[in-house]
């Protein structure tokens, strides 16, 4: 089977947040869905290398902020392109705190949030599948939810708008252009921190 | 929490098919996603009252046909608004058969299909969550995948286009109008077979 067939699946986009002691953290996920109606049950799958994964494995409590079509690329850069092990993703960042004590995003970037408590976890190799009950939540705006497809079409910067004008290497993750050749093997994108292997030659 | 908050979640739309002996069956689902990359693992949640649910619990083998933005409402009517216990959903219906022996849809309604084998099932009350490996699949067309939101905006008929012109009760599922009052308590929609409780007064 061609790898690209997996791209035919549709997803929403979310900021998953956790709190362990005084430490807030969060990451981007696209796998949050409802999986049962009675009782109201949700699931999400998180890569085990993710710091938020380890925090929720420990605390069992989380919030999901639903990203809307007015979400800015900055949200993806902040929560998706760096690790909470290296930086405080909540530094200089305005958010609210739900009744469960965990942060959530109430801004033009989001249209709803959910609080949840993990009921069980399933080890799937690269990822853990979390199954959880919804304990709280609120409608924040009428703006439609962003899908994964919408993100690629409208939110993620278009790196190839004028590819002929610049020479060098382009970061396929965020569109940053390194104007030189060769690209150093240990180069790290200054915008999204992805490695040289995520660049391609213009 | 308001019930409508759950509507902020995004989903694709799929026809899930199964085969038990000589019996083909299928249903509409919106919960098919990838939940791990290594190994390639998917999940979907199906209501236990569904006949396709029981077939896959028994056979452990299924196909998922991905509905595209050119899917017709007839597909939803055929696979979503009736039960395989009462009718043969594949009667007079053109489909293909994958290597696993199960039917899939290769038409203007779909843009890809997957074959899968169930690895484990999780009882969630109203629904069972199926976790499965992908055994095969193919890209069928470049048409974008239909999201649940797209279905409501563009595929599902608009029952309220001219609400002032008709009096009676409207089926909120498919838009059929019963021109009379009161609506009998045991009335069943002749189009989608949903009960009187799914009607509202015009």
């Amino acid at each position: 089977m061609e790898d690209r067939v997996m791209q035919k699946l549709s997803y929403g986009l979310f900021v998953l947040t956790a709190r362990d002691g005084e430490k807030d953290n969060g990451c981007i996920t696209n796998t949050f869905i409802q999986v049962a109606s009675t009782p109201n049950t949700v699931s999400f799958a998180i890569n085990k290398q993710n710091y938020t994964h380890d925090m929720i494995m420990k605390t069992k409590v989380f919030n999901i902020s639903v990203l809307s079509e007015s979400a800015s690329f900055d949200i993806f850069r902040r929560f998706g392109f760096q690790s909470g092990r290296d930086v405080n993703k909540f530094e200089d960042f305005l958010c609210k705190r739900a009744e469960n004590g965990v942060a959530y995003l109430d801004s033009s970037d989001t249209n709803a949030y959910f609080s949840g408590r993990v009921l069980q976890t399933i080890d799937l190799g690269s990822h853990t599948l979390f199954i959880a009950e919804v304990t709280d939540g609120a409608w924040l705006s009428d703006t439609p939810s962003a899908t994964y497809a919408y993100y690629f079409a409208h939110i993620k910067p278009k790196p190839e708008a004028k590819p002929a004008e610049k020479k060098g290497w382009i970061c396929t993750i965020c569109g940053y252009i390194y104007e030189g050749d060769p690209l150093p093997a240990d180069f790290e994108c200054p915008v999204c921190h992805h490695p040289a292997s995520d660049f391609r030659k213009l």
Side-chain angles (χ1 to χ4, degrees), chain A:
Chain A
M1 187 185 84
E2 301 168 90
D3 287 346
R4 66 173 184 150
V5 184
M6 300 307 293
Q7 296 169 16
K8 290 296 197 184
L9 304 184
S10 298
Y11 303 90
L13 279 167
F14 313 91
V15 177
L16 172 68
T17 45
R19 182 174 176 86
D20 183 12
E22 294 302 306
K23 173 73 175 177
D24 284 304
N25 195 35
C27 66
I28 302 286
T29 182
N30 63 345
T31 59
F32 188 74
I33 59 170
Q34 185 180 27
V35 286
S37 48
T38 313
N40 187 357
T41 311
V42 292
S43 73
F44 53 96
I46 304 295
N47 193 303
K48 290 179 185 173
Q49 296 185 357
N50 205 304
Y51 186 35
T52 311
H53 170 278
D54 293 353
M55 292 173 71
I56 298 175
M57 283 298 269
K58 178 180 174 190
T59 65
K60 308 292 185 193
V61 173
F62 65 90
N63 287 337
I64 281 275
S65 301
V66 183
L67 291 168
S68 78
E69 290 186 354
S70 61
S72 73
F73 187 60
D74 283 346
I75 290 292
F76 294 89
R77 191 179 279 145
R78 176 179 290 267
F79 288 101
F81 294 165
Q82 52 187 1
S83 171
R85 289 194 180 86
D86 308 323
V87 299
N88 175 5
K89 295 185 182 182
F90 285 86
E91 191 173 331
D92 303 324
F93 185 72
L94 200 64
C95 64
K96 291 189 176 174
R97 210 164 281 284
E99 285 194 15
N100 63 2
V102 180
Y104 71 95
L105 283 61
D106 182 1
S107 64
S108 59
D109 299 296
T110 54
N111 64 17
Y113 86 92
F114 298 88
S115 294
R117 189 188 336 261
V118 175
L119 299 172
Q120 57 178 305
T121 60
I122 297 156
D123 185 344
L124 297 178
S126 57
H127 291 63
T128 296
L129 183 65
F130 295 84
I131 295 172
E133 63 178 325
V134 176
T135 56
D136 199 4
W139 184 282
L140 301 177
S141 103
D142 291 341
T143 309
S145 300
T147 62
Y148 200 52
Y150 186 91
Y151 166 76
F152 279 103
H154 302 288
I155 298 175
K156 188 182 174 194
K158 298 275 183 306
E160 295 166 280
K162 296 178 180 178
E165 292 180 10
K166 290 197 173 181
K167 289 187 177 177
W169 293 74
I170 187 165
C171 174
T172 58
I173 305 299
C174 76
Y176 170 82
I177 292 174
Y178 175 84
E179 296 186 66
D181 191 53
L183 179 73
D186 61 351
F187 190 77
E188 183 187 271
C189 177
V191 176
C192 73
H193 303 286
H194 276 70
S197 56
D198 281 324
F199 282 68
R200 70 168 176 74
K201 197 170 184 181
L202 289 175

